[in-house]
Amino acid sequence: MESSLDLPPDEGDNGKTGHESGAEGSVRLEGVTKKFGSFAAVKDMDLEIANGEFFTMLGPSGCGKTTTLRMIAGFEQPTEGKVLIDDVDVAGQPAYKRPTNTVFQSYALFPHMNLEENVAFGLKRKKVGKSEIKKRVAYELERVGLSREAKRKPAQLSGGQQQRVALARALVNLPKVLLLDEPLGALDLKLRKGLQVQLKNIQRDVGITFVYVTHDQEEALTMSDRIAVMDEGRIEQCGGPEEVYERPATTFVAGFIGVSNLLPAVAASGSEIKIDGGPTVSTPEAADFSADERCFAVVRPEKLTVSAADEAPSDRPSVDGVVESSLYLGTSTQMVVRVADDVKMTVLIPNASEAERHQLPGGGSRVKLVWEPDHMHLTSESPEESASADTADVSPDNEKEGATA
Amino acid sequence: MKAWTWLKDHAVNIIAGLALFYMLAPIAVIAVFSFNDPVGRFNFEWVGFTLDAWKNPFGITELTDALITSIQLAAISSIGSTILGTLIAIALVRYNFFGRRAANFLIVIPLATPEVVIGASLLSMFLVYGAKLGFGTLVIAHIMFSISFVVIVVRSRLIGFDRSLEEAAADLGANAITTFRKITLPLLAPAVGAALMLSFALSIDDFVISNFNSGATVTFPLYIFGANQRGIPVEVNVIATMLFAVTVIAMAAVIIQQRRAEKMAEKRADDAGTTGMSMPI
């Protein structure tokens, strides 16, 4: 433990050897339920996170993502089920015995200690030798670019700097799993974007398993290897960023990630579905639904094109509607088209030239929305979710995604 | 007309000045009369200036003994009540137990109880148990009436305490005792320190409760009260002035320390803007 080695991150202590060993850093939840009184925050959850993965739990506030994280960290104990880290059941083990470290939303830096002392706190608890602590702390502060501030107190730093100290304080311990609870939530957009990239690079660099909690779908899509989209204590879908965006499993996922357009439809025989008040479309995905089963066709806003209502029908599927609003977003124009009483579609039209933009149909015009059959995905209704609540709406979050899509 | 305008513009300052004078005049009198050269036993009339009393303020043995007793009593009882009161505050804020709400309420009752009642009931309790009145009973009495103040001061700090700091400590491998020692206690220190000073001041100043429970022990306030019958020596004014000066210096030190902390916080706001946001990887 006291021996001098080349680079601090390559040193192990108390058997923690970081990412070198292949079997380390996996997390598994088996049938985990967490109840607070009669309220179940997490319901019978199964989850498997591989070693070295950047795994994100994404969902609205109250969906149980933070509770799940806290059960992995040991701040909460599951009411039922097992939490396994590296195949060892840690349920019942207190936080200070677990091979995990956490980056808190509030950073939770110790205000009475300077940065060095903050970062050294974990190593001191593990009785790491003085010279080694010094070296590893210096290395970690260097990594996050705060070497010059080592003697400062947290209150003397900006929010972004504090966040980086919190990261260094956790990483210096070489945890098997690093847990991050909305670590960028308190920062402004520009800083957040920069740190997203840096965080992802660090994760790639150290190879430690990251479990990341956020309600920001864009953040999740940018950084994650896999995303678990959660709602009401359950995982709605678990998959890669492309998978959850392009092929949302439920209407909730479709609505939560990006702006999505949900067209109510019914599965017809074989490989066809019939969109309510619209055309019958042939798609291989229809095979997943039995005949007459209700489903939703999801078409992302950037994949719809707008054409005049009287244009001759092509072989591509389309629906008719009335333009409700048109919003200039800089890189694109966002148009909301009402296709049925309770169904609105959002269309994103790239802004090529000003002249072209001025020719777009204005509010009240009748238009036809056309898409490629390949760009349509079928999804089933989320349990306990009503279809109308999920039709595309211009919430601030969605708008942001739309603008950058 | 002009005078009236001036008066209107400065009304607040004038009233504030008068109020301050009202509050501080008795203390000034004490200090001034410590330089008096009284004729006879009573030091109530200005006779002439002398430094006699200041040259040997501890010359009166009974007075010095009483002062030492009071300082010992205040030291022991303030430390005792601060330890107990801090632990009680932590229990009341952090833990949910049967009777917590009641305890939260009951803890402030001694504050509202007239001292003469507390003094008398403590005396009857000591008599019932056959305790020998003296320094020991004084310590018990002083700890008893100081605890409520300590609890209130420490409790307010605990309520605003960021629990995630303790979770962070646990997350970094600190068990409950280490977390308390390294995180909770240092962060509570300002409140604990304030509680300690407050209970020290309460103890050194107490007369009513001490009068019931002191037995043959004489504290500084008890000495003054007794001396009043025969005439208070000038040395009492000297010692009282010294106590006042020590208090003022202690308070000034606290304020200066706070100013420095604020300045540092301001400085970081300036620095944070200039040191880069970038993080080399």
Side-chain angles (χ1 to χ4, degrees), chain A residues 70 75 96 101-102 104 106 108-112 122 125 143 148-149 152 155-157 161 164 169 173 195 198, chain B residues 164-165 167-175 178 182-183 186-187 264 268 271-272 275-281:
Chain A
R70 289 172 61 82
F75 303 135
Y96 71 90
N101 284 116
T102 308
F104 293 81
S106 61
L109 299 177
F110 307 130
H112 56 302
R125 302 286 82 73
R143 196 216 297 273
R148 283 199 308 139
E149 287 82 0
R152 292 205 185 168
Q156 292 169 277
L157 302 180
Q161 289 173 325
R164 279 143 56 189
R169 186 179 67 176
N173 304 295
L195 284 172
Q198 290 167 339
Chain B
S164 67
L165 293 174
E167 284 185 346
D171 188 69
L172 293 165
N175 60 25
T178 310
K182 296 275 181 189
I183 307 297
L187 291 174
M264 262 173 52
R268 70 100 194 171
D271 287 1
T275 44
M277 319 187 306
S278 66
M279 164 159 65
I281 293 157

Side-chain angles (χ1 to χ4, degrees), chain B residues 22-47:
Chain B
Y22 176 52
M23 286 160 66
L24 298 177
I27 296 168
V29 167
I30 298 267
V32 168
F33 273 78
S34 72
F35 297 103
N36 196 12
D37 188 8
V39 184
R41 292 186 306 167
F42 292 98
N43 182 19
F44 296 142
E45 232 171 284
W46 184 255
V47 178

Side-chain angles (χ1 to χ4, degrees), chain A residues 91-121:
Chain A
Q93 230 179 57
Y96 71 90
K97 286 187 176 164
R98 294 196 185 186
T100 58
N101 284 116
T102 308
V103 177
F104 293 81
Q105 185 171 16
S106 61
Y107 315 139
L109 299 177
F110 307 130
H112 56 302
M113 299 182 188
N114 67 26
L115 301 200
E116 236 169 34
E117 291 161 343
N118 262 284
V119 176
F121 190 88

Side-chain angles (χ1 to χ4, degrees), chain A residues 24-41:
Chain A
E24 285 194 332
S26 69
V27 178
R28 203 159 79 233
L29 304 192
E30 287 178 2
V32 167
T33 296
K34 176 66 186 178
K35 284 184 181 160
F36 296 104
S38 60
F39 171 74

